[in-house]
Amino acid sequence: MIQLLYFARLRETLGSDGENLDWPEPGTISALKHKLAGRGGAWQEQFAGNASLRAAVNQELVPDSALVQPGDEVAFFPPVTGG
Amino acid sequence: MTARVQEQDFDVGEEITRLRLQYPQAGAVVSFTGQVRDLNDGDAVSSLTLEHYPGMTEKSLAAIIEQARQRWPILDAVVIHRIGTLQPQAQIVLVVVASAHRGDAFAACEFIMDYLKTEAPFWKKEATPEGEKWLDSRESDQSARERWQ
């Protein structure tokens, strides 16, 4: 299992702030996005079509090539706009 | 080094004084205060709501301060960022940096703000008379950050 979190506009677009997902083997962020995009609709749009989406694994920003291990906390969100 | 994320307002004078008095060797204390504007891209702003990623935000701010500390000989830095719903002219963010000489404090303060704007997981949603909208990140913030690389 991994814990997924969605923030800001992404959270509203998906209608979810997060979930637990079955993730038995290590895999990349790209693979995870592909899996989520497979749900279709807004999921497909956001995880396949939104190039600006950012990812964090265990609260560190990572590129799409980063590995996600079972037990990790993975967050997806739009580019940040604080300050 | 302090990074705080909070709903309540802060007192700029108090934060500056605390840092200044803590370091007799500090010859410079530089601060930046961000405030909510009443107009953004031509729209009147009635309020701004800030969402963040609890846990990662604090870590990210601490990492940014640590990077500044490695680049300049600063004595200390404080970052306070507010979350929740804020009205125009509310204070939103404060960065205070103390160093022996002003050049390092000025540079470190700008560096911290430029990195905060592009790395710390905060998101702004603006309420205007026409409705609510999430703000898009700005290219100019990205360029401001890149000049440090």
Side-chain angles (χ1 to χ4, degrees), chain B residues 126-144:
Chain B
E126 204 171 72
T128 71
E130 287 74 48
E132 293 191 324
K133 66 169 187 209
W134 289 99
L135 297 191
D136 289 319
S137 61
R138 290 172 196 268
E139 195 52 50
S140 58
D141 287 333
Q142 203 56 44
S143 338

mmCIF file of all heavy atoms in Angstrom, chain B residues 126-144:
data_model
loop_
_atom_site.group_PDB
_atom_site.id
_atom_site.type_symbol
_atom_site.label_atom_id
_atom_site.label_comp_id
_atom_site.label_asym_id
_atom_site.label_seq_id
_atom_site.Cartn_x
_atom_site.Cartn_y
_atom_site.Cartn_z
ATOM 1 N N GLU B 126 -7.988 32.555 -4.832
ATOM 2 C CA GLU B 126 -8.420 33.929 -4.716
ATOM 3 C C GLU B 126 -9.935 34.002 -4.823
ATOM 4 O O GLU B 126 -10.520 33.348 -5.680
ATOM 5 C CB GLU B 126 -7.815 34.657 -5.911
ATOM 6 C CG GLU B 126 -7.617 36.108 -5.770
ATOM 7 C CD GLU B 126 -6.810 36.593 -6.975
ATOM 8 O OE1 GLU B 126 -7.364 36.645 -8.085
ATOM 9 O OE2 GLU B 126 -5.624 36.895 -6.786
ATOM 10 N N ALA B 127 -10.550 34.792 -3.954
ATOM 11 C CA ALA B 127 -11.987 35.057 -4.086
ATOM 12 C C ALA B 127 -12.141 36.468 -4.634
ATOM 13 O O ALA B 127 -11.573 37.417 -4.094
ATOM 14 C CB ALA B 127 -12.688 34.927 -2.747
ATOM 15 N N THR B 128 -12.861 36.599 -5.752
ATOM 16 C CA THR B 128 -13.130 37.909 -6.349
ATOM 17 C C THR B 128 -14.648 38.021 -6.489
ATOM 18 O O THR B 128 -15.358 37.029 -6.304
ATOM 19 C CB THR B 128 -12.488 38.025 -7.752
ATOM 20 O OG1 THR B 128 -13.221 37.186 -8.654
ATOM 21 C CG2 THR B 128 -11.027 37.606 -7.749
ATOM 22 N N PRO B 129 -15.144 39.216 -6.816
ATOM 23 C CA PRO B 129 -16.598 39.336 -7.012
ATOM 24 C C PRO B 129 -17.130 38.361 -8.081
ATOM 25 O O PRO B 129 -18.290 37.985 -8.062
ATOM 26 C CB PRO B 129 -16.770 40.793 -7.454
ATOM 27 C CG PRO B 129 -15.590 41.512 -6.875
ATOM 28 C CD PRO B 129 -14.470 40.516 -6.913
ATOM 29 N N GLU B 130 -16.248 37.912 -8.998
ATOM 30 C CA GLU B 130 -16.681 36.995 -10.071
ATOM 31 C C GLU B 130 -16.610 35.526 -9.655
ATOM 32 O O GLU B 130 -16.999 34.656 -10.432
ATOM 33 C CB GLU B 130 -15.823 37.186 -11.336
ATOM 34 C CG GLU B 130 -16.103 38.462 -12.113
ATOM 35 C CD GLU B 130 -15.547 39.696 -11.433
ATOM 36 O OE1 GLU B 130 -14.366 39.658 -11.021
ATOM 37 O OE2 GLU B 130 -16.285 40.690 -11.283
ATOM 38 N N GLY B 131 -16.080 35.254 -8.489
ATOM 39 C CA GLY B 131 -15.982 33.860 -8.047
ATOM 40 C C GLY B 131 -14.586 33.531 -7.552
ATOM 41 O O GLY B 131 -13.744 34.413 -7.414
ATOM 42 N N GLU B 132 -14.380 32.201 -7.310
ATOM 43 C CA GLU B 132 -13.089 31.776 -6.769
ATOM 44 C C GLU B 132 -12.215 31.198 -7.862
ATOM 45 O O GLU B 132 -12.707 30.581 -8.791
ATOM 46 C CB GLU B 132 -13.333 30.682 -5.730
ATOM 47 C CG GLU B 132 -14.047 31.164 -4.492
ATOM 48 C CD GLU B 132 -14.021 30.100 -3.409
ATOM 49 O OE1 GLU B 132 -14.108 28.901 -3.749
ATOM 50 O OE2 GLU B 132 -13.895 30.472 -2.232
ATOM 51 N N LYS B 133 -10.898 31.401 -7.721
ATOM 52 C CA LYS B 133 -10.003 30.725 -8.657
ATOM 53 C C LYS B 133 -8.639 30.462 -8.009
ATOM 54 O O LYS B 133 -8.146 31.270 -7.220
ATOM 55 C CB LYS B 133 -9.840 31.534 -9.952
ATOM 56 C CG LYS B 133 -9.142 32.846 -9.782
ATOM 57 C CD LYS B 133 -8.778 33.441 -11.147
ATOM 58 C CE LYS B 133 -7.918 34.675 -10.934
ATOM 59 N NZ LYS B 133 -8.019 35.673 -11.944
ATOM 60 N N TRP B 134 -8.065 29.325 -8.369
ATOM 61 C CA TRP B 134 -6.705 28.992 -7.917
ATOM 62 C C TRP B 134 -5.731 29.819 -8.733
ATOM 63 O O TRP B 134 -5.903 29.959 -9.946
ATOM 64 C CB TRP B 134 -6.417 27.506 -8.135
ATOM 65 C CG TRP B 134 -7.180 26.635 -7.211
ATOM 66 C CD1 TRP B 134 -8.335 25.970 -7.486
ATOM 67 C CD2 TRP B 134 -6.872 26.359 -5.840
ATOM 68 N NE1 TRP B 134 -8.768 25.281 -6.373
ATOM 69 C CE2 TRP B 134 -7.883 25.506 -5.346
ATOM 70 C CE3 TRP B 134 -5.836 26.746 -4.974
ATOM 71 C CZ2 TRP B 134 -7.892 25.025 -4.040
ATOM 72 C CZ3 TRP B 134 -5.846 26.265 -3.674
ATOM 73 C CH2 TRP B 134 -6.858 25.418 -3.216
ATOM 74 N N LEU B 135 -4.719 30.345 -8.091
ATOM 75 C CA LEU B 135 -3.731 31.140 -8.808
ATOM 76 C C LEU B 135 -2.747 30.225 -9.527
ATOM 77 O O LEU B 135 -2.423 29.149 -9.042
ATOM 78 C CB LEU B 135 -2.970 32.053 -7.856
ATOM 79 C CG LEU B 135 -3.821 33.109 -7.158
ATOM 80 C CD1 LEU B 135 -2.923 34.128 -6.458
ATOM 81 C CD2 LEU B 135 -4.729 33.826 -8.138
ATOM 82 N N ASP B 136 -2.285 30.682 -10.693
ATOM 83 C CA ASP B 136 -1.267 29.955 -11.440
ATOM 84 C C ASP B 136 0.100 30.454 -11.002
ATOM 85 O O ASP B 136 0.251 31.610 -10.623
ATOM 86 C CB ASP B 136 -1.426 30.190 -12.941
ATOM 87 C CG ASP B 136 -2.664 29.487 -13.474
ATOM 88 O OD1 ASP B 136 -2.911 28.334 -13.053
ATOM 89 O OD2 ASP B 136 -3.389 30.087 -14.289
ATOM 90 N N SER B 137 1.091 29.563 -11.077
ATOM 91 C CA SER B 137 2.449 29.993 -10.741
ATOM 92 C C SER B 137 2.930 30.952 -11.823
ATOM 93 O O SER B 137 2.451 30.909 -12.958
ATOM 94 C CB SER B 137 3.371 28.782 -10.647
ATOM 95 O OG SER B 137 3.407 28.129 -11.881
ATOM 96 N N ARG B 138 3.853 31.824 -11.455
ATOM 97 C CA ARG B 138 4.335 32.845 -12.394
ATOM 98 C C ARG B 138 5.715 32.502 -12.917
ATOM 99 O O ARG B 138 6.589 32.093 -12.162
ATOM 100 C CB ARG B 138 4.437 34.198 -11.686
ATOM 101 C CG ARG B 138 3.118 34.820 -11.335
ATOM 102 C CD ARG B 138 3.368 36.056 -10.469
ATOM 103 N NE ARG B 138 2.158 36.478 -9.796
ATOM 104 C CZ ARG B 138 1.307 37.377 -10.289
ATOM 105 N NH1 ARG B 138 1.555 37.935 -11.441
ATOM 106 N NH2 ARG B 138 0.223 37.706 -9.624
ATOM 107 N N GLU B 139 5.882 32.763 -14.203
ATOM 108 C CA GLU B 139 7.184 32.556 -14.848
ATOM 109 C C GLU B 139 8.251 33.423 -14.173
ATOM 110 O O GLU B 139 9.391 33.015 -13.985
ATOM 111 C CB GLU B 139 7.061 32.906 -16.339
ATOM 112 C CG GLU B 139 8.194 32.428 -17.200
ATOM 113 C CD GLU B 139 8.511 30.954 -17.038
ATOM 114 O OE1 GLU B 139 7.583 30.113 -17.103
ATOM 115 O OE2 GLU B 139 9.694 30.652 -16.818
ATOM 116 N N SER B 140 7.856 34.644 -13.768
ATOM 117 C CA SER B 140 8.818 35.573 -13.165
ATOM 118 C C SER B 140 9.367 35.028 -11.838
ATOM 119 O O SER B 140 10.501 35.311 -11.468
ATOM 120 C CB SER B 140 8.166 36.940 -12.943
ATOM 121 O OG SER B 140 7.021 36.817 -12.126
ATOM 122 N N ASP B 141 8.553 34.234 -11.121
ATOM 123 C CA ASP B 141 9.045 33.642 -9.871
ATOM 124 C C ASP B 141 10.084 32.570 -10.171
ATOM 125 O O ASP B 141 11.056 32.408 -9.437
ATOM 126 C CB ASP B 141 7.879 33.014 -9.088
ATOM 127 C CG ASP B 141 6.980 34.074 -8.470
ATOM 128 O OD1 ASP B 141 7.474 35.190 -8.198
ATOM 129 O OD2 ASP B 141 5.787 33.790 -8.267
ATOM 130 N N GLN B 142 9.852 31.840 -11.262
ATOM 131 C CA GLN B 142 10.790 30.806 -11.670
ATOM 132 C C GLN B 142 12.135 31.437 -12.067
ATOM 133 O O GLN B 142 13.193 30.972 -11.670
ATOM 134 C CB GLN B 142 10.186 30.024 -12.850
ATOM 135 C CG GLN B 142 10.738 28.628 -13.026
ATOM 136 C CD GLN B 142 10.594 27.766 -11.780
ATOM 137 O OE1 GLN B 142 9.555 27.757 -11.141
ATOM 138 N NE2 GLN B 142 11.644 27.046 -11.405
ATOM 139 N N SER B 143 12.073 32.549 -12.830
ATOM 140 C CA SER B 143 13.315 33.219 -13.245
ATOM 141 C C SER B 143 14.039 33.805 -12.042
ATOM 142 O O SER B 143 15.272 33.788 -11.984
ATOM 143 C CB SER B 143 13.054 34.357 -14.236
ATOM 144 O OG SER B 143 11.856 34.205 -14.889
ATOM 145 N N ALA B 144 13.278 34.330 -11.087
ATOM 146 C CA ALA B 144 13.899 34.917 -9.895
ATOM 147 C C ALA B 144 14.700 33.857 -9.155
ATOM 148 O O ALA B 144 15.782 34.102 -8.632
ATOM 149 C CB ALA B 144 12.831 35.504 -8.978
#
